[in-house]
Amino acid sequence: MIIVGLAFGFLLGFIGYLPPGNINLTVVQMSVSSARSKWRLFILFAALMEFIYCFGCLYGMDRLIHQPQLILFLNWAAVLVFLLLGVSFILVGNKADSSKNSSTSIKKGILVAIFNPLQVPFWLIWGVYVFQNHLVTSYAASIALFSFICSLGTITILWFYAAMGKRLVEKMNINHVVLNRFIGSLLILLAVFQTIKLLQA
């Protein structure tokens, strides 16, 4: 059962970033415009944040479920961050200095990885599943191991995006300006979607 739980954790970490989103598209953008060492570090940082979100949500699941005000605050804070980052990506996309754009996109990518409101409900939902099916125990060591395996799944899929995304961008001849504008528009749409969702709750 432990092997099954770890394999399932890797799968969750992998599929969590499989659909095109703010994190993996940022990795694609960085793989095109930044040095290899920079986007590698960003992938490791994103995986670290995945570990923190996974461990924090699973370990504090009871408290999080009974503190909806905290989740609501985090969601509204993320809306603001995504909106500001989206506008900033679009504005940076109009500039020609690629070296500055590269440095700026790294900083923005870090903020996007930190303020990711989708991770809290994601891990609360899957947390119930893994606990009910005894894939993870309530002990901190078990949750930490599960979270670590999840972060390995995250590294794998983001590495794939960095490798394949760069080739795709080069084949489609997409320049940095278009990519920045696309990521910015996606972040703004995510902020709008999150706002609508919060207002309807």
Side-chain angles (χ1 to χ4, degrees):
M1 186 60 71
I2 295 178
I3 302 296
V4 174
L6 296 180
F8 189 74
F10 181 88
L11 182 63
L12 283 180
F14 186 91
I15 65 174
Y17 290 93
L18 184 57
N22 48 340
I23 300 292
N24 42 34
L25 288 178
T26 299
V27 169
V28 172
Q29 195 272 347
M30 291 177 61
S31 68
V32 174
S33 62
S34 305
R36 184 182 296 247
S37 59
K38 291 183 179 179
W39 61 257
R40 282 180 174 178
L41 286 175
F42 175 74
I43 289 176
L44 292 177
F45 179 80
L48 173 62
M49 292 309 304
E50 182 71 12
F51 175 88
I52 293 173
Y53 270 111
C54 180
F55 182 84
C57 288
L58 296 187
Y59 188 74
M61 180 172 289
D62 292 335
R63 293 184 179 180
L64 284 174
I65 291 176
H66 293 92
Q67 291 186 3
Q69 297 87 354
L70 176 59
I71 297 177
L72 183 63
F73 171 78
L74 292 175
N75 281 326
W76 278 113
V79 167
L80 179 61
V81 171
F82 281 7
L83 186 60
L84 293 175
L85 286 176
V87 173
S88 182
F89 261 108
I90 292 176
L91 293 177
V92 168
N94 296 324
K95 298 179 180 179
D97 192 340
S98 61
S99 61
K100 290 183 179 179
N101 292 354
S102 171
S103 176
T104 304
S105 64
I106 294 173
K107 295 176 182 178
K108 292 175 185 175
I110 290 174
L111 286 176
V112 168
I114 294 174
F115 294 96
N116 194 350
L118 302 179
Q119 291 306 94
V120 175
F122 179 86
W123 284 117
L124 287 180
I125 292 171
W126 283 109
V128 173
Y129 180 85
V130 297
F131 281 129
Q132 287 182 343
N133 289 276
H134 308 289
L135 299 176
V136 180
T137 66
S138 57
Y139 293 105
S142 176
I143 296 175
L145 179 60
F146 181 83
S147 302
F148 174 73
I149 297 299
C150 286
S151 65
L152 291 183
T154 299
I155 290 175
T156 302
I157 184 61
L158 291 182
W159 211 280
F160 174 81
Y161 264 100
M164 299 306 296
K166 184 174 182 179
R167 295 179 183 178
L168 181 63
V169 168
E170 290 174 350
K171 285 186 177 181
M172 295 179 65
N173 197 25
I174 301 176
N175 60 34
H176 300 167
V177 173
V178 174
L179 196 56
N180 276 333
R181 287 177 179 173
F182 179 74
I183 294 174
S185 299
L186 183 67
L187 287 170
I188 292 174
L189 286 175
L190 182 60
V192 172
F193 173 78
Q194 190 73 7
T195 300
I196 295 173
K197 184 179 177 181
L198 290 171
L199 292 176
Q200 290 178 343

